[in-house]
Amino acid sequence: MKIAVLAGDGIGTEIVAEAVKVLLALDLKMEMESALVGGVAYDAFGHPLPPATLALAKASDAILFGAVGDWKYDKLERQFRPEQAILGLRKELGLFANFRPAICYEELVDASSLKPELIAGLDILIIRELTGDIYFGQPRGRRVATDGHFPGAEEAFDTMRYSRPEIERIAHVAFDAARKRSKRVTSVDKNNVLETSQLWKDVMIEVAQQYPDITLDHMLVDNAAMQLVKEPKKFDVVVTGNMFGDILSDEASMLTGSIGMLPSASLNASNQGLYEPSHGSAPDIAGKGIANPLATILSAAMMLRFSLGQADAALRIEHAVKAVLAKGLRTSDIYGKGGAGITKVSTLEMGDAVVAALA
Ligand code: IPM
Ligand code: MG
């Protein structure tokens, strides 16, 4: 088992260090190798995804990823910005299937901005197509004014595009996932306006024929955004395109009140995967030792389960995380109002507590 460890920017290094600590404590046979990615890679090598980092990622069974991005790179040309690293990895490795669970932990039910009864027991799985859509469609560009006036462009455009095979394969992922859950899939699109969405809906209906045990329904994305805050527990598996999935997964994760808790997995057709927390690089709190490492630790668990065939080890990590929450340990993002038996801990202390709870 070979793991590429790409910590990235901001809090990335701190949270990934804790996940690595937990993995090492499992005492499994695995090789880990680190490389720079994102803004730190740009600083060192002039590119956010240097060839050596990409080669390491390709040669690994799985990638443990922290986060990329910092405002200080906002002025760079797009191709050099940190975000290009994660987009490049997704495209180069064909990581088309993105799993973003939004789970409300019983202990953290008060951390949400929604009423507890709306979100207690919430367990949604958003499946986001990750290598197509307006993120990667060609052509794209800017048309600059004829007098070369800068910085303003006269016109800018991106292309929203999906092909039948791209939709078919993510449909299979969603229906297979639903088979292991409540056997319901909600497909989200904007078919009342967009051609790509009409194709999306048609292909979803077609593929669903092969899954008579699964109930498929469809929702327009604006309505889905509304229903997610109105009655989130109505959803189980949600499958949607790259752009809508980006937006809805942020919304769903914050319903739980604890984006610092949510892992994610991005898989290709051979189950090679990239595992990262659902949150970003949070440069404002980087280096302070207060970031929540649990999303990354839980991402490591997903990695063991999906890419490394170590389901038992994954469960051990997940139980350990539940145990530290039950003990009342909280990083500041999930501390809430505190109270009796609740202790505020640092990033490092949280990692140590998970290691201790593994035993
Ligand atoms: C995400 C992020 C990325 C995306 C950015 C960093 C390119 O928001 O993983 O959701 O838009 O996909
Ligand atoms: Mg996003």
Side-chain angles (χ1 to χ4, degrees), residues 5 8 19 57 93 101 118 157 245 272 292 304:
V5 180
L93 278 77
L118 280 183
F157 52 96
Q272 189 186 24
N292 186 348
L304 289 165

Side-chain angles (χ1 to χ4, degrees), residues 143-208:
R143 194 170 62 77
V144 180
T146 40
D147 63 0
H149 176 73
F150 190 80
E154 277 298 293
E155 189 185 35
F157 52 96
D158 298 279
T159 302
M160 194 172 231
R161 183 195 155 277
Y162 263 120
S163 69
R164 171 175 287 272
E166 283 175 316
I167 304 170
E168 279 171 0
R169 63 182 182 176
I170 197 72
H172 285 292
V173 169
F175 293 129
D176 285 336
R179 275 207 166 137
K180 297 178 200 136
R181 298 170 55 104
S182 73
K183 306 197 166 28
R184 286 188 297 119
V185 174
T186 304
S187 169
V188 174
D189 64 43
K190 187 72 184 175
N191 74 77
N192 53 348
V193 178
L194 302 173
E195 291 300 329
T196 41
S197 279
Q198 189 60 55
L199 178 66
W200 180 278
K201 184 174 179 183
D202 293 347
V203 174
M204 283 290 155
I205 292 171
E206 245 176 68
V207 176

Side-chain angles (χ1 to χ4, degrees), residues 3-9 12-13 15-16 19-20 35-39 48-49 53 57 62-69 82-87 89-90 95 264 266 273-281 295-297 299-300 303:
I3 302 168
V5 180
L6 311 182
D9 303 318
T13 26
I15 53 179
V16 166
V20 167
L36 294 181
V37 75
L49 182 58
T53 302
I63 301 155
L64 184 63
F65 194 91
V68 289
E83 292 76 14
Q84 293 304 309
I86 184 73
L87 295 174
L89 283 166
R90 288 172 186 169
L95 304 169
S264 79
S266 307
L274 181 148
Y275 299 83
E276 61 176 327
S278 283
H279 59 71
S281 55
T296 317
I297 290 171
S299 299
M303 172 174 86

